[in-house]
Amino acid sequence: MAYDNLTRPADAGPETAEQLAQRLDAELRHVHPREVLKAAVKFFDGRLAVVSSFGAESAVLLHMLSEVKPDTPVLFLDTGMLFGQTLDYRKSLAARLGLTDVRDLRPHYQDLATGDPDAKLWQKDTDACCHIRKVLPLDRAIEGFEAWVTGRKRFHGGDRLRLPVVEFTDGKVKFNPLANWQKADLDAYAAEHDLPAHPLVAQGFPSIGCWPCTQPVEAGEDVRAGRWKGQDKTECGIHVARAPGAVANVGGDI
Ligand code: SF4
């Protein structure tokens, strides 16, 4: 089904953002991810951002975005702890795909000066480190948008097993176009469109975040097994819904 066919009775009356998210989730549940992106642009153009880590699987969603609306703002969290290969990949992939509004989000100087002056917070408290370097910068940047798009997939496991295609959290509509896709779907799409891989994938990193908290995985391990290895932490906190006024301090990647 194409997004143009989304159904809604003409006399249905005004709809809240939450109701819209529920309706879109039901109607877009089984469509191609590109159609989910088109629907996101159709309903939220000018009020929509895509959040990307420019990590191991990011090229697929970014390529679809380049086909649907390449000037959509793309928010990239440059934590100050990323691999040099990720920074290079962010530049080359954005240029190759013609994405014209990639925004680099960095932690505030003041937050670092008070909370992580020696850049070693990750050794003591990874939740607090992610809060300063990921959650706060994204919270500040996302404030100006009503909806955002993520690259999360159910096959990554954990809390993502129940991921809807469209959801409503923290006052915003979130689109997860790749929720239904498996690794084989991503690989086939990347091959079909000749998309360049993140250089660390060939070195055994199927999921890539900050260098202190990312390790290669062994054969047979989960995709995200190399993230915060040896800790209970599986998410960085940017996707954790919080109560009004609460501070997100639990952790993953984008
Ligand atoms: Fe800090 Fe590690 Fe979180 Fe990066 S992933 S912000 S280094 S704790």
Side-chain angles (χ1 to χ4, degrees), residues 36 49 71 99 115 130 134 185 194 205 246:
V36 179
D71 61 350
L99 300 171
C130 281
K134 294 185 174 182
D185 300 316
D194 194 24
F205 294 82

Side-chain angles (χ1 to χ4, degrees), residues 60 184-196:
V60 169
D185 300 316
L186 298 168
D187 290 346
Y189 186 95
E192 182 187 348
H193 297 279
D194 194 24
L195 299 178

Side-chain angles (χ1 to χ4, degrees), residues 35-109:
E35 300 302 321
V36 179
L37 264 183
K38 286 182 184 174
V41 169
K42 172 185 162 123
F43 283 93
F44 291 98
D45 193 17
R47 298 166 291 146
L48 177 78
V50 174
V51 177
S52 178
S53 64
F54 285 79
E57 297 166 345
S58 298
V60 169
L61 185 65
L62 293 174
H63 179 266
M64 291 178 192
L65 182 68
S66 73
E67 293 182 327
V68 173
K69 197 159 192 299
D71 61 350
T72 304
V74 177
L75 308 181
F76 169 64
L77 281 162
D78 179 358
T79 62
M81 294 286 186
L82 297 178
F83 291 96
Q85 291 94 327
T86 300
L87 300 175
D88 292 344
Y89 187 61
R90 168 252 177 273
K91 284 205 172 66
S92 61
L93 187 62
R96 157 118 178 229
L97 297 178
L99 300 171
T100 57
D101 192 6
V102 181
R103 304 178 187 183
D104 301 309
L105 312 182
R106 300 199 171 91
H108 268 194
Y109 170 78

Side-chain angles (χ1 to χ4, degrees), residues 79 81 122 125-127 129-130 133-134 210 212-213 228 233:
T79 62
M81 294 286 186
W122 61 272
D125 188 342
T126 49
D127 287 344
C129 184
C130 281
R133 295 177 181 274
K134 294 185 174 182
C210 297
C213 303
W228 301 284
K233 185 177 173 74

Side-chain angles (χ1 to χ4, degrees), residues 7-240:
T7 53
R8 187 156 192 270
D11 58 355
E15 195 175 34
T16 65
E18 187 166 8
Q19 288 166 338
L20 174 65
Q22 284 170 357
R23 178 167 65 87
L24 291 181
D25 183 52
E27 301 205 24
L28 297 169
R29 202 164 282 175
H30 303 296
V31 306
H32 190 280
R34 191 185 295 104
E35 300 302 321
V36 179
L37 264 183
K38 286 182 184 174
V41 169
K42 172 185 162 123
F43 283 93
F44 291 98
D45 193 17
R47 298 166 291 146
L48 177 78
V50 174
V51 177
S52 178
S53 64
F54 285 79
E57 297 166 345
S58 298
V60 169
L61 185 65
L62 293 174
H63 179 266
M64 291 178 192
L65 182 68
S66 73
E67 293 182 327
V68 173
K69 197 159 192 299
D71 61 350
T72 304
V74 177
L75 308 181
F76 169 64
L77 281 162
D78 179 358
T79 62
M81 294 286 186
L82 297 178
F83 291 96
Q85 291 94 327
T86 300
L87 300 175
D88 292 344
Y89 187 61
R90 168 252 177 273
K91 284 205 172 66
S92 61
L93 187 62
R96 157 118 178 229
L97 297 178
L99 300 171
T100 57
D101 192 6
V102 181
R103 304 178 187 183
D104 301 309
L105 312 182
R106 300 199 171 91
H108 268 194
Y109 170 78
Q110 209 165 6
D111 292 338
L112 293 175
T114 54
D116 192 9
D118 56 2
K120 290 183 178 164
L121 188 55
W122 61 272
Q123 295 177 349
K124 296 170 274 188
D125 188 342
T126 49
D127 287 344
C129 184
C130 281
H131 185 66
I132 289 175
R133 295 177 181 274
K134 294 185 174 182
V135 176
L136 290 179
L138 184 64
D139 277 357
R140 290 181 189 115
I142 212 78
E143 225 174 66
F145 298 95
E146 290 178 27
W148 50 304
V149 179
T150 87
R152 292 174 298 163
K153 301 114 196 149
R154 288 194 200 111
F155 83 86
H156 282 178
D159 289 344
R160 301 183 180 198
L161 282 170
R162 294 178 298 279
L163 188 65
V165 171
V166 187
E167 58 188 323
F168 183 78
T169 52
D170 294 323
K172 307 212 185 278
V173 177
K174 249 188 201 179
F175 292 86
N176 308 304
L178 298 172
N180 296 324
W181 271 26
Q182 301 295 318
K183 180 78 171 69
D185 300 316
L186 298 168
D187 290 346
Y189 186 95
E192 182 187 348
H193 297 279
D194 194 24
L195 299 178
H198 188 297
L200 290 177
V201 170
Q203 294 179 40
F205 294 82
S207 176
I208 300 157
C210 297
W211 66 262
C213 303
T214 308
Q215 292 180 35
V217 304
E218 307 292 331
E221 281 188 313
D222 285 347
V223 171
R224 289 173 63 82
R227 308 294 298 277
W228 301 284
K229 207 162 193 168
Q231 301 183 34
D232 289 340
K233 185 177 173 74
T234 58
E235 297 283 346
C236 69
I238 65 170
H239 294 298
V240 178

